[in-house]
Amino acid sequence: MTTIIPKQPLRVPRPVQYFVRNNHRQLLDYAGKVTSTGQIMNVLVTGPQGCGKSTMPLQFAAINQRPFAVIEIGMLAEASQLFGSLHVRERETVYLAGKFTQALMTPNCVIHLQEINRPESDKTLNAMFSVLDDQQRGLWIDDAETQVDVAPGVCFFASLNEGYDFVGTMPLDLALKDRFEIKIGLDYLPANTEAQLLTARTGLTYDKALTIINIINSLRNNTQEPIPISTRATLEIARMLKFGIGLTDALIASVAVDESMLESVLVAMHFDPNMTQTLQRTTTDYSIYN
């Protein structure tokens, strides 16, 4: 058996302003309570690009004061990259744990398997089966000649983008998907909630933030050529406006939308810089997750 040496301790992230639907909050609270007793849980998060999939596990770790590790599945060419490597120190062979191995060994760790359906090789995911299986919760590392068991209280989050628009992705193996006890499907926030987020994160006034979101939603819901615009992009547009860049220039620069399409949307909306359209959705089932 080879001695496994961990790296620096994993850090607890700082919380951010993050809105979550109340039914999703209940599921996250449930996951937090279950894992606080030492049980291990798997959570799968899906949804359109830039809707908060990556922020959810980070916020979960922050508010529950848990160490946090992000594993970029899309950067893995082979399973061995997950675990670590052998080294010689003072004439002794030791095994330096990779981030994944260290996270598995860290009690109460939140492990985010980012873009789980974008590995360079689908064989890379085979290593995930045993740690995500509630009957095994461990893996054998050949180089270290030892078994690594998942530490008590670990919570796995996996996020993915689905669809042909995302290059390099593949359908998630049904047997792997079945190992996630909780599955959360995210979507873009309601207009007034997304405007509140922009105001909280950038300091832009609510009216200006709502104007941005109303225009963005018109592009997202365009019947002829809908454009999927992430909340990440709307935040950047708000920052540009706060800096003094014009709204049209900010939209074109961040979204890369055709200027003629943007003009037609603005004309159809009878755009006024001071306008706040009637909201079609409410925010009663959303609240800040903290």
Side-chain angles (χ1 to χ4, degrees):
M1 181 182 295
T2 303
T3 302
I4 297 181
I5 299 179
K7 296 182 179 180
Q8 294 295 322
L10 298 171
R11 296 182 178 180
V12 176
R14 294 180 178 180
V16 297
Q17 197 82 0
Y18 185 69
F19 285 87
V20 65
R21 284 182 60 172
N22 290 334
N23 61 327
H24 293 162
R25 174 195 289 273
Q26 286 185 310
L27 292 171
L28 293 171
D29 289 346
Y30 169 71
K33 184 175 182 179
V34 168
T35 53
S36 69
T37 67
Q39 295 187 54
I40 300 164
M41 180 159 284
N42 310 328
V43 182
L44 181 66
V45 186
T46 62
Q49 63 190 52
C51 67
K53 298 188 298 296
S54 296
T55 308
M56 178 173 279
L58 181 148
Q59 190 75 345
F60 176 85
I63 67 173
N64 288 287
Q65 289 293 289
R66 308 280 188 88
F68 182 62
V70 179
I71 309 300
E72 300 280 358
I73 300 299
M75 296 178 65
L76 302 175
E78 54 187 32
S80 61
Q81 291 178 266
L82 285 167
F83 308 134
S85 56
L86 288 170
H87 294 263
V88 176
R89 284 189 175 182
E90 300 178 355
R91 299 182 180 181
E92 180 186 2
T93 300
V94 297
Y95 189 83
L96 296 182
K99 184 189 288 187
F100 184 60
T101 301
Q102 181 178 6
L104 293 179
M105 298 169 63
T106 303
N108 301 312
C109 189
V110 177
I111 303 176
H112 179 196
L113 306 172
Q114 186 153 268
E115 298 193 87
I116 194 172
N117 63 332
R118 199 195 288 265
E120 288 193 25
S121 169
D122 55 356
K123 293 181 180 179
T124 304
L125 295 180
N126 291 340
M128 297 293 171
F129 279 76
S130 60
V131 297
L132 295 175
D133 191 313
D134 60 3
Q135 300 300 312
Q136 299 183 60
R137 295 299 189 189
L139 53 84
W140 174 262
I141 300 179
D142 283 334
D143 288 346
E145 298 181 333
T146 190
Q147 170 80 9
V148 173
D149 294 322
V150 180
V154 167
C155 189
F156 293 94
F157 278 80
S159 61
L160 59 87
N161 291 307
E162 295 178 295
Y164 295 107
D165 293 335
F166 301 100
V167 177
T169 62
M170 61 181 67
L172 191 63
D173 185 286
L174 292 179
L176 186 60
K177 188 174 184 178
D178 189 56
R179 282 164 167 74
F180 290 89
E181 296 94 343
I182 296 177
K183 301 174 182 66
I184 296 177
L186 300 183
D187 202 349
Y188 297 122
L189 295 169
N192 51 353
T193 306
E194 194 167 0
Q196 290 178 50
L197 179 64
L198 265 59
T199 298
R201 293 270 192 96
T202 69
L204 199 68
T205 66
Y206 176 79
D207 284 352
K208 288 184 178 179
L210 186 57
T211 296
I212 293 172
I213 298 306
N214 285 327
I215 294 171
I216 291 296
N217 281 337
S218 295
L219 294 169
R220 287 169 173 165
N221 301 320
N222 188 299
T223 55
Q224 296 183 341
E225 190 178 347
I227 302 175
I229 302 172
S230 68
T231 301
R232 187 184 303 116
T234 65
L235 283 165
E236 193 56 45
I237 292 167
R239 293 188 189 100
M240 290 181 186
L241 261 68
K242 186 71 175 176
F243 185 77
I245 296 174
L247 177 58
T248 301
D249 289 338
L251 283 162
I252 292 173
S254 183
V255 180
V257 63
D258 182 80
E259 189 169 356
S260 60
M261 175 184 288
L262 178 58
E263 288 178 355
S264 67
V265 169
L266 297 180
V267 169
M269 294 176 64
H270 306 291
F271 174 69
D272 179 334
N274 298 316
M275 64 172 271
T276 53
Q277 284 190 325
T278 302
L279 299 177
Q280 300 301 313
R281 293 178 288 179
T282 68
T283 187
T284 54
D285 59 344
Y286 282 80
S287 59
I288 296 175
Y289 179 45
N290 54 24

